[in-house]
Amino acid sequence: MKISLLEPIGIDSSLMDELSAPLKAKGHEFVFYPTKTTDPDELYERAKDSEIVMIANNPLPDSVIEKCDKLKMLDVAFTGIDHIGQNACKAKNITVCNAAGYSNETVSELAVGMAIGVLRKINAGDKAVREGGTLASAGLMGTELGTKTVGIIGTGRIGIMTAKLFKAFGCKVIGYSRSKKAETIEAGIEYTSLDDLLKTADIVSLHIPSTADTKGFLSAEKIALMKPSAILINCARGAVVDNAALAEALNSGAIAGAAIDVFDMEPPIPADYPLLNAKNTLLTPHVAFASKESMIRRAHIVFDNINAYLEGSPINVCTLK
């Protein structure tokens, strides 16, 4: 079979060679493209002759997949699959596998780090030092993380790990999810309704996927339920929040702050995007998943996916919407 990796996946050439060597030894062709492209024609050129295609978080739309007549498996080096053409994959009976679990530690650490960054005004402190300011002149009095109630929305693997880290700081943690998990309860996390979580939590941390059902999940009405002293952390997906409403809530003082890693589009972010000019907002350019360790874990998972598929026992198979 021909196997094509359409974009870089954050590992060096030696690891790429190590992981692809067993495939080549079995007679499979492996092709790696070292640059990203979003051009549909170029994506098709890269994928058209392949039975297996590997991508990361670069979009692969229905229009490209529909034309890939040889494609049998799509191996996504990412947790979410909302950036691929699921309709075409479903219609063509293409097996889609993901890399669930590779970034649990990395995302959860950033979520906690961002919470501390907002509570302790770290960005403002850095700016104050560079401009000759002081604690008093820059208004840098913060609050402790350990005194807070944290609401985790979405208790999948990343949500649970994030909850455990907040617990380690002494936080009370409450959770909301469509399904309750024994591991969550055993970790001392109390499930509650979404509205009660939003009304109670000092910190709300989102860990839900982007689907048709979750688009705008945190609407203006839901944001309005949050306490004026609360902050929102979003290291999940940009589309699950009404970000214009969030910016308005921040600017009006309806909530105290936000730390956002994901947006309605991939960075670079347009200059007129509401959150760029919102008060008390810490922004990062979709980096929650990205660490040296997570990239290595991810590479091993996606190559394991291919080997399992070729052996007739696919793993990490995704349910298409």
Side-chain angles (χ1 to χ4, degrees):
M1 286 190 176
K2 182 176 181 180
I3 302 162
S4 294
L5 174 53
L6 305 191
E7 60 177 306
I9 56 171
I11 59 173
D12 59 31
S13 57
S14 61
L15 182 55
M16 185 77 74
D17 291 342
E18 175 188 332
L19 294 174
S20 61
L23 297 171
K24 295 175 182 177
K26 294 176 182 177
H28 301 292
E29 180 183 1
F30 178 78
V31 178
F32 165 55
Y33 293 90
T35 59
K36 279 180 173 283
T37 181
T38 57
D39 179 67
D41 292 333
E42 175 59 24
L43 286 167
Y44 173 66
E45 286 300 313
R46 294 182 182 190
K48 66 180 182 181
D49 295 324
S50 303
E51 286 86 4
I52 297 176
V53 164
M54 305 169 70
I55 62 166
N57 63 335
N58 208 39
L60 191 68
D62 283 312
S63 61
V64 174
I65 297 170
E66 285 167 356
K67 296 188 294 183
C68 293
D69 294 331
K70 295 183 179 180
L71 185 59
K72 294 180 173 62
M73 179 205 181
L74 183 56
D75 194 13
V76 183
F78 215 60
T79 302
I81 58 170
D82 51 296
H83 57 298
I84 68 165
Q86 295 188 47
N87 290 332
C89 288
K90 200 169 184 178
K92 295 168 72 72
N93 200 30
I94 294 167
T95 300
V96 177
C97 302
N98 72 351
Y102 82 94
S103 63
N104 294 357
E105 295 86 351
T106 304
V107 174
S108 58
E109 286 183 5
L110 186 69
V112 174
M114 292 180 97
I116 294 172
V118 174
L119 292 174
R120 298 303 304 274
K121 305 182 181 181
I122 292 173
N123 273 8
D126 177 86
K127 184 173 183 290
V129 170
R130 297 177 192 280
E131 295 177 353
T134 66
L135 185 155
S137 68
L140 297 177
M141 185 70 69
T143 61
E144 294 178 358
L145 178 59
T147 64
K148 302 295 182 287
T149 295
V150 178
I152 301 292
I153 298 179
T155 56
R157 284 183 278 188
I158 293 176
I160 290 173
M161 181 160 288
T162 304
K164 289 178 178 178
L165 290 182
F166 276 118
K167 288 278 287 183
F169 277 89
C171 300
K172 177 182 177 181
V173 182
I174 57 179
Y176 168 79
S177 185
R178 289 181 301 177
S179 58
K180 297 180 179 181
K181 294 183 171 64
E183 182 183 354
T184 310
I185 297 168
E186 289 167 4
I189 299 156
E190 176 188 343
Y191 277 107
T192 186
S193 70
L194 177 61
D195 285 3
D196 283 347
L197 182 149
L198 293 170
K199 292 174 183 177
T200 303
D202 301 298
I203 300 167
V204 175
S205 190
L206 292 168
H207 301 283
I208 56 176
S210 178
T211 67
D213 293 335
T214 61
K215 183 174 176 60
F217 179 86
L218 206 65
S219 62
E221 292 76 16
K222 294 300 184 186
I223 293 169
L225 296 175
M226 295 174 63
K227 300 194 296 189
S229 58
I231 65 173
L232 175 69
I233 312 294
N234 188 6
C235 292
R237 282 289 189 270
V240 304
V241 178
D242 181 338
N243 288 302
L246 174 60
E248 184 176 342
L250 289 160
N251 288 328
S252 69
I255 65 171
I260 308 296
D261 183 57
V262 285
F263 308 89
D264 297 292
M265 71 292 292
E266 284 297 309
I269 305 299
D272 61 350
Y273 189 71
L275 285 175
L276 291 185
N277 300 302
K279 296 178 182 177
N280 302 322
T281 307
L282 172 62
L283 306 177
T284 52
H286 198 179
V287 300
F289 68 94
S291 69
K292 291 180 179 179
E293 295 85 353
S294 68
M295 295 299 96
I296 292 171
R297 283 194 297 268
R298 177 172 78 166
H300 280 278
I301 290 170
V302 293
F303 277 93
D304 286 346
N305 286 349
I306 292 174
N307 288 314
Y309 175 80
L310 292 172
E311 291 169 2
S313 301
I315 56 175
N316 295 317
V317 177
C318 300
T319 301
L320 303 178
K321 302 296 183 181

